[in-house]
Structures are given as structure tokens and as C-alpha cells.
């Protein structure tokens, strides 16, 4: 994933994700903008892993937790915790890739700022 597209995730949020996921994406973007690349990359992988688990669970003919009133709550909890466990163990390997791209993006921005300052 190219880190320059991280800002475009707001569009994805409004089109395909709920407001909770959108808020998490916004938090990841703010973390990256603050220069906390490792934390942003880990948070992004956690969110992505939880979304993958959610979609895989939806593809199953029957849910793990039945169809009762609490099934949605337990399912969401399960998705979030399994996604966090996968990301913590770097099972998907995205955090390192995202971190490298964020660092490249920051370096390019800094180089651009330094070049603009020199030109003045």
C-alpha cells in the first residue's frame, strides 16, 4: 500500500464503512500525521485485520454466536479481538510495509519543505 493513499481512506469510510470504522481510520491518519509511524502502522493493521475477520465471518452460512439479540455484540467483539491478536503477532505483515511507506512519505514532505525554505 502506498502511504500517499492513506488520506484517501476517508472516501472509503464514507462509501463502505460504518462511522466507528471511519473514526478509527481518522485516528490512524492523525497518528501518522503526528509522526508516530509505528503506532499508526500497527493501528492500521489492527483495523484491517478486524475488517477481514468480519467479512470472513459474514461469509459463513451460520454465525458463531447464533442469531439471537446478542449475536451482533459478540460477533463484533470477536472480530475486534481476533483482528487485534492477528495484528499484534504481525500475522498479515502489513504494519511493516505501511510503516516504511509512511517514513518515505514523511521524508519526501520534509525534503519538500526544506527545498521551499531554501528557495525563499
Amino acid at each position: 500500500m502506498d502511504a500517499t493513499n492513506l488520506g484517501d481512506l476517508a472516501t472509503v469510510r464514507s462509501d463502505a464503512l460504518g462511522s466507528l470504522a471511519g473514526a478509527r481510520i481518522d485516528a490512524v491518519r492523525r497518528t501518522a500525521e503526528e509522526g508516530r509511524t509505528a503506532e499508526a502502522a500497527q493501528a492500521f493493521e489492527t483495523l484491517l485485520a478486524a475488517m477481514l475477520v468480519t467479512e470472513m465471518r459474514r461469509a459463513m452460512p451460520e454465525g458463531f454466536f447464533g442469531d439471537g439479540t446478542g449475536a451482533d455484540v459478540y460477533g463484533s467483539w470477536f472480530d475486534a479481538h481476533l483482528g487485534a491478536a492477528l495484528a499484534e503477532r504481525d500475522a498479515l505483515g502489513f504494519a511493516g510495509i505501511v510503516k516504511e511507506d509512511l517514513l518515505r512519505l514523511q521524508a519526501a514532505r520534509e525534503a519538500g519543505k526544506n527545498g521551499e525554505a531554501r528557495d525563499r
Side-chain angles (χ1 to χ4, degrees), residues 7-71:
D8 294 338
L9 289 176
T11 304
V12 172
R13 176 196 63 192
S14 64
D15 293 343
L17 302 175
S19 61
L20 181 59
R24 289 179 181 160
I25 290 171
D26 289 341
V28 169
R29 186 174 354 103
R30 280 192 308 274
T31 302
E33 289 170 354
E34 293 169 2
R36 299 183 340 231
T37 56
E39 185 179 339
Q42 185 67 35
F44 179 77
E45 184 167 3
T46 299
L47 178 59
L48 180 62
M51 291 168 61
L52 288 171
V53 171
T54 298
E55 293 307 315
M56 287 189 292
R57 198 172 47 79
R58 282 187 191 167
M60 295 177 57
E62 291 183 25
F64 288 146
F65 306 106
D67 294 326
T69 55

Side-chain angles (χ1 to χ4, degrees), residues 1-10 12 28-29 32 41 44 48 94-109:
M1 172 181 193
D2 183 10
T4 59
N5 294 331
L6 198 57
D8 294 338
L9 289 176
V12 172
V28 169
R29 186 174 354 103
F44 179 77
L48 180 62
F94 287 121
I97 296 167
V98 171
K99 181 180 173 185
E100 288 175 16
D101 283 346
L102 289 172
L103 290 172
R104 262 194 304 264
L105 178 61
Q106 287 177 347
R109 285 183 180 165

